DNA sequence: CTCTCTCTTAATTTTCTCTTAATTCTGTCC
DNA sequence: GGACAGAATTAAGAGAAAATTAAGAGAGAG
């Protein structure tokens, strides 16, 4: 899950970045609006979520919002969480009405930011699904996205390491969709160009020990998917 | 736009109701969880948005959330904005993770409530299915180009190897058009004039085992095609 | 600072796909 | 009918992609 953090306060940005990557997000951080725009337009490193600070040096964050929505077409709509020191009512209203999907005022607690991100995620990802809680259930496997635990059938709940969790979540959020090795790589890591790594393969292997061998299917030459379960 | 307000504080509820109806919302107000549930399940008076107070007399609002989602099927998903006096972090996180789409703590300003409702509305509207079926169906054969699988009549879905898939896709994307061996070669590989390779022939042969012998027709001396099917 | 768990790398094995090449089949033309 | 060319069939070896394994590097927790 790739998050784009648009924030010019380096100290804050670092804190958020650490917290997010600890949860398995891949974080791209930029300080300027124009950099954000170019990332949104890019095919491969387009983020799944955007955290947008309104107080940017080069442009007003509010002006950025419509541009972001313009770039990200309807089919790959990217939700935006606004982060702002402006806690006055008109600012909130303006932010939300300009296209923000949520509005959090500084100072904030990281746990709340994370929870609100999960809401946006599940909205964006689970379009086809009825479950709107923090757990995704698909066939024999259910995955709790807030505590990173999975359960096979009615077995024990076990905790997944970060990378394994990220991969499983990506696959389970879009059942039936194939993700290539490159796609998974770009969602797991920041602007990588490391072509020759089989880290994803190894994580998949370890995941299959936990989900059962058949849950994650391989489409040879293309990628991996989990089936849509009835 | 119909809003269901689940709130036992009558004074507050009245204020919200007035504000909402002034903005053109139709408001149903109930004070108990079970009443909310029955409204959600009802066919005709199912709301478009729910504002849920967590401190209800008859049941915990958090227990209500999954039930609401259960009742409202995937096609008419109803977003829930949680309203609560509990402003502690764990409460917020629990609320959002249980399926809440936003969390507003009391006391709040009505303008912010309205702005956040607009966000939920907007998002619900954006809920257009993105899963455009990328399948080409032609006569007895249908080919899913996103997961590289084909189906013959109503049989099993089977996966096609890469080269076979490419060939079948080319042929099925332009039914009625004839492709020569050279054309297929040049589409499959980047070299045009490999003189003596019958790799394409072999792939076609293997394809015909899966599509039935007649699906891909041979025009002797020219190439291959699949018919336009009515 | 040390210990433990996680992540990545890299080598190896396994599995399946692709191509080659030899052979048979089929239609066409003289 | 016979000869020819193009296409179909078949089997086997080469090749590529993925799975597996083990070990060392790295990050977090105490």
């Amino acid at each position: 899950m790739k998050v784009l953090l648009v924030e010019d306060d380096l100290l804050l940005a670092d804190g958020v970045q650490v917290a997010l990557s600890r949860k398995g997000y891949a974080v791209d951080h930029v300080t300027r609006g124009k950099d954000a725009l170019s990332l949104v337009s890019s095919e491969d490193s387009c983020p799944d979520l955007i955290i947008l600070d309104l107080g940017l040096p080069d442009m007003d964050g509010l002006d950025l919002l419509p541009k972001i929505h313009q770039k990200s077409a309807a089919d790959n709509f990217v939700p935006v969480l606004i982060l702002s020191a402006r806690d006055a009512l008109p600012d909130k209203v303006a932010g939300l009405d300009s296209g923000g999907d949520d509005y959090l005022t500084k100072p904030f607690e990281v746990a709340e930011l994370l929870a609100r991100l999960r809401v946006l995620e599940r909205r964006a990802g689970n379009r086809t699904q009825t479950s709107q809680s923090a757990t995704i259930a698909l066939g024999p496997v259910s995955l709790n996205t807030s505590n990173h635990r999975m359960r096979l059938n009615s077995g024990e709940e076990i905790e997944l390491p970060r990378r394994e969790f990220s991969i499983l979540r990506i696959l389970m959020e879009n059942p039936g969709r194939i993700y290539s090795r490159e796609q998974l790589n770009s969602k797991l890591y920041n602007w990588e160009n490391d072509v020759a790594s089989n880290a994803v393969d190894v994580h998949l292997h370890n995941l299959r020990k936990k989900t059962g061998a058949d849950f994650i299917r391989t489409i040879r030459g293309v990628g991996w998917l989990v089936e849509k379960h009835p």
Side-chain angles (χ1 to χ4, degrees), chain A:
Chain A
M1 186 68 45
K2 177 162 285 192
V3 176
L4 172 59
L5 175 61
V6 191
E7 167 69 66
D8 66 321
D9 179 341
L10 294 180
L11 196 63
L12 177 64
D14 190 55
V16 171
Q17 192 160 7
V18 167
L20 288 178
S21 39
R22 206 169 278 177
K23 288 292 180 182
Y25 293 92
V27 184
D28 285 348
H29 173 217
V30 300
T31 56
R32 290 177 313 173
K34 55 190 283 258
D35 299 332
L37 274 181
S38 68
L39 273 177
V40 171
S41 341
S42 74
E43 187 65 36
D44 44 344
S45 57
C46 179
D48 302 298
L49 291 170
I50 297 176
I51 302 175
L52 174 65
D53 179 27
L54 286 191
L56 293 177
D58 64 331
M59 63 199 300
D60 189 347
L62 284 187
D63 299 333
L64 197 58
L65 269 169
K67 289 177 183 161
I68 286 174
H69 285 134
Q70 210 176 342
K71 294 278 186 187
S72 74
D75 53 325
N76 68 332
F77 175 81
V78 184
V80 178
L81 184 146
I82 296 175
L83 215 53
S84 173
R86 310 176 197 161
D87 67 342
L89 189 56
D91 292 316
K92 290 185 186 175
V93 173
L96 295 169
D97 280 345
S98 305
D101 294 285
D102 205 342
Y103 194 105
L104 197 53
T105 53
K106 301 179 190 174
F108 58 90
E109 300 207 53
V110 172
E112 182 170 356
L113 173 64
L114 290 171
R116 288 186 181 275
L117 286 181
R118 285 196 291 274
V119 172
L120 297 184
E121 261 170 53
R122 104 187 155 221
R123 283 327 212 65
N126 288 16
R127 269 168 230 244
T128 59
Q129 246 175 273
T130 55
S131 162
Q132 282 294 315
S133 67
T135 91
I136 310 170
L138 230 49
V141 176
S142 66
L143 179 70
N144 184 327
T145 59
S146 74
N147 63 10
H148 293 204
R149 286 172 202 226
M150 65 153 284
R151 182 198 300 273
L152 177 61
N153 294 315
S154 343
E156 283 280 295
E157 261 201 338
I158 57 174
E159 195 159 335
L160 293 180
R162 278 189 287 287
R163 299 259 115 109
E164 289 177 29
F165 168 75
S166 296
I167 292 174
L168 187 57
R169 166 163 75 185
I170 290 167
L171 293 175
M172 288 184 71
E173 266 176 352
N174 283 84
R177 176 171 164 187
I178 303 182
Y179 288 87
S180 68
R181 176 183 284 100
E182 292 72 33
Q183 284 175 310
L184 290 178
N185 263 323
S186 85
K187 284 198 181 291
L188 250 52
Y189 310 99
N190 307 341
W191 45 72
E192 49 58 67
N193 353 348
D194 186 24
V195 273
S197 165
N198 69 339
V200 166
D201 300 62
V202 178
H203 291 311
L204 282 165
H205 173 66
N206 292 327
L207 265 175
R208 293 212 251 230
K209 287 182 192 162
K210 296 164 185 168
T211 63
D214 301 336
F215 186 67
I216 299 172
R217 294 199 44 201
T218 303
I219 308 294
R220 187 166 256 257
V222 189
W224 296 270
L225 83 163
V226 313
E227 298 288 353
K228 283 179 188 164
H229 281 79

